[in-house]
Amino acid sequence: RESDHRAWTPVTYTVTRQNATVQGLIQGKAYFFRIAAENIIGMGPFTETTKEILIRDPITVPDRPEDLEVKAVTKNSVTLTWNPPKYNGGSDITMYVLESRLIGKDKFHKVTKEKMLDRKFTVEGLKEGDTYEYRVSACNIVGQGKPSFCTKPITCKDEIAPPTLDLDFRDKLIVRVGEAFSLTGRYSGKPAPKVTWLKDDIVVKEDDRIKIQTTPTTLCLGILKSVREDTGRYCVTVENSTGSRKGFCQVNVVDRPSPPVGPVIFDEVFKDHMVVSWKPPLDDGGSEITNYIIEKKDTHKDLWMPVTSATVKTTCKIPKLLEGREYQIRIYAENLYGISDPLISDEMKAKDRFRVPDAPEQPIIKDVTKDSAVVVWNKPYDGGKPITNYIVEKKETMATRWVKATKDPIFPGTKFKVPDLLEGCQYEFRVSAENEIGVGDPSPPSKPIFARDPIAKPSPPINPEAVDKTKNSVDLSWQPPRHDGNGKIIGYLIEYQKVGEEEWKQANLTADSCPETNYKVTGLTEGLTYKFRVKAVNAAGESDPAHVPDPVEVKDRLEPPDLILDANMAREQHVKAGDTLRLSAVIKGVPFPKVTWKKEDHEVSPKADIEVTGVGSKLEIRNTVHEDGGIYSLTVENPAGSKTVSVKVVVLDKPGPPRNLKVSDIRSDSCYLTWMEPEDDGGSVITNYVVERKDVASAQWVAISSSSKKRSHMAKYLMEGTQYLFRVAAENQYGRGPYVETLKPIKAIDPLHPPGPPKNLHHVDVDKTEVSLVWDRPDRDGGAEITGYLVEYQEDGADEWTKFQTVPMLDCVVTGL
């Protein structure tokens, strides 16, 4: 029976042995049992178990614990963990026993002193450098089970691993005011690193809004309801004995800006407008001020009117005011995140008080050099406020933009030396006056000046000399003066004087007519002797004269002609037909020689363009044809002599027609053509001949050969009885020449021969004045049908035969005998 029941339940079977197995019991229940003996008489009394028996599996010691692992090692401690045994032996684990063995010893020693049910234990008090192995056993009410498998030998020393840091945030973070943000990441390292949070190099401390959470592997800094003061550079440092790692994040908590800083300053006040200024907000809200919104209000009205919302400067012109009215100005600052509270000005009445200075009079320019000039002006009316500065501006005459001459203030003097001018450039200058109200209008521009040093007269030209002469002219040459007087040399004046006279005459009236260092003096009288002198001229005037050392007698200087050939006459010239032929040469000689061009001792073609200059001559023929080839000669002649040069010109063209085209050996299917080469090969080797034929009944020519280099051709594949014409043309690298054609057609037939003699001539009848003759056809007809037979007779004893007649048949009666 169950221990909590009174009723007994019989076991369903009877046994004869002294043991029995009771089945169907419930595990965990307690039972009482009783046994009675039975014989044939009956059943005896029951014997009952004295104690209840709890139904459960048999209890043994536990299995060995599993997964014994070393979690941490230092120089004097080891931390181990393990898992419970798979089977506890049928009874709860009452404790674990951890044992260690020093490597080199035989026995394990118990490490744990008290009952320990935790599956993690740190063995402390070890000696640095010793090596141990560990095992653990589980215990239940039966006893201690088998130990686990030993760990690998473990040496007591500090484990070292440098810190690592893996952050979940970027270098920059923007947060709106009132929002929460967090900076998180993961870290590792041995020994376990220390985690420190800094903001702008100050340690972050926790409070109601700032929370710091750190686990052995993760880190987190969270801030609730952020404010502008949370803006800063946050740094997390992970550090142990081996080193440290840092992570940074620039957090910008943004908001609308604070109001602009007052008071509003009225820089200028006029009857119709004001100019106000203010200072930027102390706090831009973490974002650049994008613009200011300015409004105005007539103090007699409650309506604020917009002035502008697009200015980024801290000054603004308030326009469209009514004279005598009082106004207030309201200014807002705006950034990407909103508009600030306003800054409101005091009341200000719109009326004129002062004005800018008047424009000075036109300034005067003095002491001009190549890189500076002094500007002088008179003081203008100051507009009611003292002048505080003058502004001097410059510009090149052709430019449109005025540039300040200096950034430094100019006061109180009324002249200023303008530096940094570009030598040779033309400048204008103007001046403006400035007072507290502003800058007045500029003066009228000064007269233009050139930036250059003061100009003096140049020194005389150097080494004038006569380099050539004719019967009425002299060529002079010289070198520029050593000093140009700081001014550009405009040109030179040349004068001449007859020997024995006092008057000097000018060869040129103005200096700019002779800008170079040479000049031809003309209009002189042959045979007279002249003196010459040269003056240099710049903007300051004329230099002293420089004289040609010796007088010059005016007469022709004889120099025999000479020719310097250009490349186009230095050797045989080849010109392609249609191109332009150019022949030229440089000609020397005094007086200048007469020039004559000839072709093979005849006048050149009228289409030739001949040009003669003072230094040479050129012959040019456009669209050359083959006939333009030949020997060209150039003759130059003067009283001192003559000279002739020649050059052979070959005009490269298509060849001429072949010559003497003949047809021979005519057959019914072929004939033989022969010809001679063209008289003119076009200046190039004949590459081939083109042979064509044409049926006289057709208009089409047919090529029968186009690559033959021979001067003959067998024309094959003719149609017997057809009449043909033939023609031949020559080709060179420049094209195909004209054709030569047979004069009359030929007929494709075999050649004809006289027929053979008739056979078997005999008479068949004789009369006193006539004879009847018959005969047979000859053996051969000569290649053509026999058209008739010629009958002749001869008197006996005579030498000549007399023709009787031609008959078509094989018989004839000769009469008249």
Side-chain angles (χ1 to χ4, degrees):
R1 70 177 173 87
E2 297 180 10
S3 61
D4 54 352
H5 289 70
R6 290 184 175 276
W8 291 90
T9 302
V11 176
T12 56
Y13 62 92
T14 302
V15 296
T16 58
R17 302 183 302 275
Q18 283 78 39
N19 57 69
T21 300
V22 181
Q23 297 182 347
L25 303 179
I26 299 173
Q27 186 172 357
K29 287 274 190 180
Y31 291 88
F32 287 97
F33 299 90
R34 67 182 183 178
I35 303 170
E38 187 179 12
N39 61 14
I40 59 174
I41 303 299
M43 181 183 299
F46 283 94
T47 299
E48 187 176 337
T49 56
T50 58
K51 293 181 180 180
E52 63 182 22
I53 299 173
L54 183 65
I55 302 303
R56 59 185 178 184
D57 289 336
I59 299 175
T60 63
V61 295
D63 289 350
R64 67 180 81 222
E66 296 187 342
D67 303 329
L68 177 61
E69 292 183 1
V70 178
K71 289 298 184 181
V73 178
T74 69
K75 64 182 178 180
N76 54 14
S77 67
V78 175
T79 301
L80 302 104
T81 63
W82 59 89
N83 291 327
K86 289 184 178 178
Y87 178 58
N88 61 7
S91 177
D92 291 338
I93 302 298
T94 57
M95 70 174 182
Y96 292 97
V97 176
L98 182 64
E99 299 175 302
S100 67
R101 182 177 70 89
L102 181 63
I103 298 300
K105 304 291 185 179
D106 295 332
K107 293 182 179 181
F108 277 87
H109 297 281
K110 186 177 178 181
V111 173
T112 54
K113 304 296 184 183
E114 301 174 355
K115 277 191 175 185
M116 181 182 65
L117 283 174
D118 290 340
R119 295 192 300 276
K120 179 177 180 183
F121 188 79
T122 300
V123 183
E124 297 179 337
L126 303 179
K127 184 178 180 182
E128 184 176 4
D130 284 351
T131 302
Y132 296 87
E133 60 182 8
Y134 294 88
R135 68 185 185 186
V136 64
S137 304
C139 298
N140 62 9
I141 58 175
V142 177
Q144 183 174 335
K146 292 182 179 180
S148 68
F149 296 109
C150 292
T151 63
K152 293 181 179 180
I154 302 164
T155 301
C156 294
K157 60 180 180 180
D158 285 336
E159 288 190 358
I160 296 176
T164 63
L165 184 59
D166 182 16
L167 301 178
D168 298 329
F169 50 86
R170 296 186 177 179
D171 294 341
K172 292 183 179 180
L173 179 64
I174 297 177
V175 183
R176 291 292 296 268
V177 164
E179 294 180 353
F181 67 91
S182 63
L183 306 177
T184 61
R186 289 159 300 283
Y187 72 100
S188 65
K190 292 183 180 180
K194 178 184 177 183
V195 177
T196 306
W197 288 93
L198 303 175
K199 173 181 174 284
D200 297 330
D201 299 327
I202 299 174
V203 176
V204 177
K205 296 181 180 179
E206 285 191 278
D207 56 23
D208 294 339
R209 293 191 310 107
I210 301 174
K211 304 297 180 184
I212 298 175
Q213 184 177 359
T214 305
T215 71
T217 58
T218 63
L219 48 85
C220 175
L221 170 65
I223 297 181
L224 306 174
K225 297 181 181 180
S226 59
V227 294
R228 282 281 296 134
E229 289 71 20
D230 292 329
T231 297
R233 187 169 186 257
Y234 287 81
C235 170
V236 59
T237 302
V238 180
E239 183 177 11
N240 65 9
S241 59
T242 64
S244 66
R245 292 293 299 273
K246 292 183 179 181
F248 296 93
C249 181
Q250 179 65 42
V251 176
N252 191 13
V253 180
V254 294
D255 193 9
R256 64 183 188 135
S258 62
V261 176
V264 176
I265 299 173
F266 292 87
D267 296 314
E268 299 178 22
V269 178
F270 297 93
K271 64 183 180 181
D272 59 350
H273 72 276
M274 302 176 182
V275 177
V276 298
S277 63
W278 59 93
K279 294 181 180 179
L282 295 176
D283 180 11
D284 63 3
S287 178
E288 183 178 357
I289 300 298
T290 57
N291 58 285
Y292 291 96
I293 300 172
I294 295 93
E295 297 174 335
K296 66 182 179 181
K297 187 184 79 165
D298 188 331
T299 56
H300 298 288
K301 300 178 181 179
D302 293 330
L303 180 64
W304 287 94
M305 300 295 294
V307 175
T308 181
S309 62
T311 182
V312 294
K313 298 179 180 179
T314 56
T315 180
C316 179
K317 179 179 179 181
I318 313 298
K320 299 180 181 178
L321 305 181
L322 297 176
E323 187 174 5
R325 295 287 183 92
E326 290 187 339
Y327 290 90
Q328 278 184 299
I329 311 300
R330 184 165 70 178
I331 304 166
Y332 299 87
E334 184 175 5
N335 65 8
L336 292 175
Y337 303 99
I339 300 174
S340 71
D341 293 332
L343 167 67
I344 300 177
S345 74
D346 296 332
E347 296 178 358
M348 178 60 68
K349 182 179 289 189
K351 63 176 182 179
D352 281 339
R353 293 186 293 180
F354 306 103
R355 60 185 174 88
V356 296
D358 290 347
E361 297 175 355
Q362 183 184 37
I364 299 172
I365 311 304
K366 297 181 178 179
D367 300 335
V368 179
T369 68
K370 64 181 180 181
D371 59 2
S372 66
V374 175
V375 181
V376 181
W377 64 93
N378 294 323
K379 179 181 176 180
Y381 171 65
D382 61 9
K385 283 282 187 178
I387 293 175
T388 58
N389 184 33
Y390 290 102
I391 299 171
V392 177
E393 296 175 296
K394 66 180 179 181
K395 81 175 182 71
E396 294 184 27
T397 304
M398 302 304 294
T400 57
R401 190 168 69 92
W402 288 90
V403 179
K404 285 186 178 181
T406 179
K407 295 181 180 179
D408 298 328
I410 305 173
F411 189 77
T414 56
K415 69 176 181 178
F416 179 73
K417 183 176 182 180
V418 179
D420 302 326
L421 303 182
L422 295 177
E423 184 174 4
C425 290
Q426 191 177 35
Y427 289 92
E428 294 176 347
F429 301 89
R430 69 181 186 183
V431 183
S432 304
E434 182 179 8
N435 62 11
E436 291 181 10
I437 307 301
V439 179
D441 293 332
S443 69
S446 68
K447 293 181 180 179
I449 59 96
F450 282 97
R452 57 191 176 197
D453 290 334
I455 299 174
K457 293 181 180 180
S459 61
I462 300 172
N463 298 332
E465 58 179 342
V467 295
D468 199 2
K469 62 182 180 180
T470 67
K471 63 183 178 182
N472 58 9
S473 68
V474 173
D475 288 346
L476 302 177
S477 176
W478 58 91
Q479 295 177 10
R482 287 188 175 89
H483 304 289
D484 59 8
N486 294 324
K488 179 182 177 182
I489 299 298
I490 300 171
Y492 298 89
L493 292 174
I494 295 89
E495 298 176 334
Y496 62 91
Q497 178 192 57
K498 292 180 183 178
V499 173
E501 295 185 359
E502 294 184 359
E503 181 185 6
W504 286 90
K505 296 182 179 180
Q506 284 192 308
N508 60 329
L509 298 178
T510 59
D512 54 9
S513 63
C514 178
E516 306 297 332
T517 57
N518 55 75
Y519 190 79
K520 179 188 278 296
V521 181
T522 58
L524 304 179
T525 303
E526 184 176 7
L528 296 181
T529 302
Y530 292 87
K531 294 180 180 179
F532 298 92
R533 67 184 185 186
V534 183
K535 300 176 182 177
V537 180
N538 66 6
E542 302 173 4
S543 70
D544 293 334
H547 292 264
V548 175
D550 300 317
V552 180
E553 184 181 357
V554 178
K555 64 179 180 179
D556 277 340
R557 176 174 58 85
L558 292 181
E559 182 179 305
D562 191 15
L563 289 170
I564 301 174
L565 302 182
D566 291 344
N568 53 31
M569 289 189 69
R571 56 185 181 277
E572 181 176 290
Q573 291 297 303
H574 289 219
V575 182
K576 190 175 179 180
D579 288 352
T580 300
L581 169 66
R582 292 184 180 86
L583 302 176
S584 57
V586 176
I587 300 173
K588 293 185 176 182
V590 180
F592 190 79
K594 176 185 176 184
V595 178
T596 306
W597 288 91
K598 289 191 176 182
K599 177 189 174 187
E600 295 173 349
D601 297 331
H602 296 90
E603 296 295 327
V604 295
S605 170
K607 72 176 185 177
D609 293 331
I610 296 176
E611 179 184 352
V612 179
T613 66
V615 294
S617 180
K618 178 173 70 173
L619 178 143
E620 188 174 281
I621 299 177
R622 296 181 178 85
N623 299 318
T624 53
V625 296
H626 187 72
E627 291 73 17
D628 292 328
I631 305 297
Y632 285 80
S633 62
L634 169 60
T635 300
V636 290
E637 183 178 9
N638 70 3
S642 66
K643 187 171 184 178
T644 301
V645 295
S646 299
V647 62
K648 180 179 180 182
V649 175
V650 178
V651 179
L652 305 174
D653 198 1
K654 298 178 288 188
R659 298 175 293 153
N660 298 339
L661 175 61
K662 295 181 179 179
V663 184
S664 60
D665 294 343
I666 300 171
R667 298 285 188 273
S668 60
D669 62 350
S670 66
C671 65
Y672 190 65
L673 305 176
T674 60
W675 61 88
M676 297 175 64
E677 70 275 359
E679 289 186 356
D680 178 16
D681 62 3
S684 180
V685 177
I686 302 295
T687 57
N688 58 283
Y689 293 94
V690 178
V691 183
E692 297 180 347
R693 76 179 184 202
K694 185 181 79 165
D695 186 338
V696 294
S698 171
Q700 184 75 27
W701 287 93
V702 179
I704 58 177
S705 174
S706 60
S707 59
S708 175
K709 296 184 179 180
K710 299 179 181 179
R711 294 190 295 277
S712 61
H713 183 73
M714 176 65 75
K716 298 181 179 180
Y717 312 112
L718 306 181
M719 295 183 64
E720 185 174 3
T722 302
Q723 291 186 316
Y724 291 95
L725 288 171
F726 295 90
R727 67 181 185 180
V728 181
E731 285 188 352
N732 63 11
Q733 68 178 26
Y734 301 103
R736 181 182 299 177
Y739 286 93
V740 61
E741 191 175 328
T742 53
L743 299 177
K744 59 183 180 178
I746 61 98
K747 189 173 185 180
I749 57 174
D750 290 331
L752 300 179
H753 302 285
K759 296 174 61 178
N760 195 19
L761 175 63
H762 63 278
H763 63 278
V764 293
D765 191 14
V766 177
D767 201 351
K768 62 179 179 181
T769 59
E770 58 184 32
V771 175
S772 297
L773 304 173
V774 297
W775 59 87
D776 294 331
R777 295 176 64 85
D779 291 335
R780 62 181 187 278
D781 59 8
E785 184 181 356
I786 294 177
T787 58
Y789 296 91
L790 177 61
V791 179
E792 298 177 329
Y793 63 86
Q794 182 188 56
E795 292 184 8
D796 190 19
D799 293 332
E800 293 184 358
W801 291 83
T802 302
K803 292 183 179 180
F804 175 64
Q805 68 181 45
T806 301
V807 296
M809 306 303 290
L810 297 175
D811 57 61
C812 178
V813 177
V814 181
T815 61
L817 300 176

